[in-house]
Amino acid sequence: MEAAEKANVAAPLIKRLDLSKGDKFDTMLQGVLDVASLPDPLGNVTFANKLDDGLELYRVTCPIGVLLVIFESRPEVIANITALAIKSGNAVILKGGKESFHSFAAISGLVREALEGTDIPPGAVQLIESRQEVSELLKQDKYIDLVVPRGSNELVRSIKSSTKIPVLGHADGLCSVYVHYDADVDMAARIVVDSKTNYVAACNAAESLLLQRSALQSHLPTLAKALIDAGVSLKVTPEISESLKQAGIEGTASATIGSAEEKDFETEFLSLTIAVAAVGGVEQAIKHINSHSSKHTDSIVTASKEIADKFLNGVDSSGVFWNASTRFSDGFRYGFGTEVGISTSKIHARGPVGLEGLTCYQYQLRGTGQVAADYVGAGGKKEFKHENIDI
């Protein structure tokens, strides 16, 4: 923290460095304990089929292999990912950013000390420091199975363009809350304020607020006042600006009201700032979110299950919520113990990635001397039975 302050590191990065903020440190420790108490994710049979008498096929969970995790300024990542890697049977190589170097060194020393005398191979958890080592490791697609970058948009995009190794991660956290006209206004205010202010530097913090146009008169004054009272500056469209003037809502010295540009709806502010716009209804909200979001987490506030279902099924994000804060998008809150990161991709793992996301599977065929040539499709006459086996 001292080094970051002397170097004038940006405020959002300093917040991510600060393990003393709120309950971050206790949550980190609890995450390790929670992972330890979770069921073993390995060796689980997820599919079983009797191909023939004495010939049975099983799909069994197994580790991915070797993980390379590169992060910037979140020192708690070391403990989180080490716990997940060990529990899921993976080896892990960790590279922290220069901002978190001192915390990285202190925590990694404890990791090494804790692993001494256990059955875990000494090389299963490795810690590297130089950027040159990362460049070399990103070329090792023969030996490293998955890269997990945790940090800025620039970091993630740079890694994706620098390696043939599969990359799991997200570039931005562009999360939105949409308020439908029938939403309970007090509920909506609590959800919007929590989504924005609970931890502004988090990737699951809301960066945009969308209101149904017919709710401007009934809902906008309360929502705007709640945000301004919480110290949030509003970047608003001309339509929202006019509605605020009609309602007599003004900004303050610390929570201003300014004009929004199109780029503001694709900006991860990571600060007490939110972009606000009006839409015609849920269909327009879905279209706006799918066009501007990073497919991370988006929420709707409405009293209608029909409208909520339309939103939940229409928004193409890894987390889609009804009447709940976007801040719930988190491995710890989902009951995963902790997470290795959030994935916005659609292959392998999506959303908060815990133990299950760090495993894959293999097919185990158990026979009694069968050969393919005896069966239909390979020259033989025997038919497959293909009977499900209870698991």
Side-chain angles (χ1 to χ4, degrees):
M1 287 295 293
E2 289 174 5
E5 286 163 1
K6 287 178 182 176
N8 293 320
V9 170
L13 280 179
I14 288 182
K15 287 181 181 178
R16 289 178 173 180
L17 278 175
D18 191 358
L19 278 176
S20 68
K21 184 177 176 62
D23 60 353
K24 281 176 70 176
F25 188 77
D26 291 336
T27 299
M28 175 183 73
L29 301 183
Q30 188 59 49
V32 175
L33 297 174
D34 288 348
V35 170
S37 67
L38 289 172
D40 189 344
L42 304 176
N44 298 321
V45 178
T46 60
F47 172 85
N49 192 271
K50 179 180 177 181
L51 306 188
D52 196 3
D53 292 334
L55 186 62
E56 296 177 347
L57 178 67
Y58 297 89
R59 186 171 63 204
V60 184
T61 57
C62 63
I64 289 175
V66 179
L67 315 176
L68 171 60
V69 182
I70 304 165
F71 59 96
E72 289 184 328
S73 55
R74 292 185 186 274
E76 68 269 28
V77 169
I78 304 168
N80 294 346
I81 294 177
T82 299
L84 288 168
I86 291 170
K87 184 79 175 185
S88 59
N90 291 289
V92 62
I93 303 167
L94 292 160
K95 166 67 173 73
K98 61 182 180 182
E99 303 89 356
S100 59
F101 172 76
H102 296 290
S103 299
F104 180 86
I107 297 176
S108 63
L110 293 174
V111 169
R112 282 191 290 264
E113 183 180 324
L115 295 181
E116 289 177 2
T118 71
D119 292 333
I120 298 166
V125 178
Q126 298 191 32
L127 307 148
I128 60 173
E129 296 176 5
S130 79
R131 184 172 295 182
Q132 184 59 36
E133 287 176 303
V134 173
S135 298
E136 290 302 314
L137 286 169
L138 289 174
K139 300 174 184 177
Q140 306 303 320
D141 54 298
K142 182 178 178 180
Y143 303 106
I144 295 174
D145 299 287
L146 183 68
V147 180
V148 184
R150 293 193 62 173
S152 67
N153 177 21
E154 182 182 358
L155 172 74
V156 177
R157 294 192 188 282
S158 172
I159 289 171
K160 283 185 174 181
S161 64
S162 303
T163 186
K164 296 178 181 178
I165 306 168
V167 177
L168 184 152
H170 69 279
D172 285 318
L174 300 175
C175 305
S176 300
V177 178
Y178 166 62
V179 179
H180 200 61
Y181 83 94
D182 64 355
D184 179 284
V185 68
D186 293 326
M187 177 196 291
R190 290 193 72 229
I191 289 172
V192 170
V193 170
D194 184 82
S195 295
K196 177 68 257 183
T197 68
N198 180 257
Y199 183 32
V200 296
C203 60
N204 57 15
E207 305 293 8
S208 296
L209 169 61
L210 305 176
L211 288 90
Q212 187 170 12
R213 191 160 283 115
S214 57
L216 291 182
Q217 188 173 351
S218 58
H219 288 59
L220 179 59
T222 300
L223 296 178
K225 187 175 186 306
L227 285 165
I228 291 168
D229 288 348
V232 179
S233 293
L234 312 181
K235 293 200 168 191
V236 303
T237 61
E239 183 178 11
I240 296 292
S241 178
E242 183 61 31
S243 294
L244 290 174
K245 288 177 183 175
Q246 292 177 5
I249 302 294
E250 297 180 348
T252 65
S254 59
T256 60
I257 298 176
S259 298
E261 300 178 29
E262 185 66 23
K263 67 179 182 180
D264 290 322
F265 294 96
E266 296 181 354
T267 298
E268 188 177 27
F269 297 110
L270 299 175
S271 63
L272 288 170
T273 303
I274 193 167
V276 188
V279 291
V282 67
E283 291 87 358
Q284 280 192 17
I286 292 168
K287 184 177 180 180
H288 182 282
I289 290 170
N290 286 343
S291 299
H292 295 82
S293 82
S294 61
K295 304 187 186 304
H296 192 298
T297 302
D298 301 284
S299 180
I300 181 173
V301 188
T302 178
S304 168
K305 182 180 183 299
E306 181 182 354
I307 293 297
D309 284 341
K310 184 174 290 188
F311 184 89
L312 298 177
N313 294 320
V315 171
D316 185 22
S317 294
S318 65
V320 197
F321 298 170
W322 175 22
N323 291 345
S325 168
T326 59
R327 286 282 290 133
F328 282 106
S329 180
D330 175 84
F332 177 76
R333 296 182 179 96
Y334 280 11
F336 298 169
T338 184
E339 66 186 35
V340 71
I342 303 268
S343 171
T344 53
S345 64
K346 298 181 181 180
I347 298 175
H348 170 60
R350 200 177 191 200
V353 180
L355 282 178
E356 184 181 352
L358 293 182
T359 64
C360 54
Y361 55 79
Q362 61 179 183
Y363 286 96
Q364 298 180 358
L365 186 62
R366 304 187 179 205
T368 51
Q370 291 86 349
V371 294
D374 291 341
Y375 290 84
V376 171
K381 296 183 178 180
K382 291 191 71 174
E383 297 280 349
F384 289 104
K385 293 188 174 181
H386 287 154
E387 299 172 356
N388 289 332
I389 301 171
D390 292 334
I391 53 176

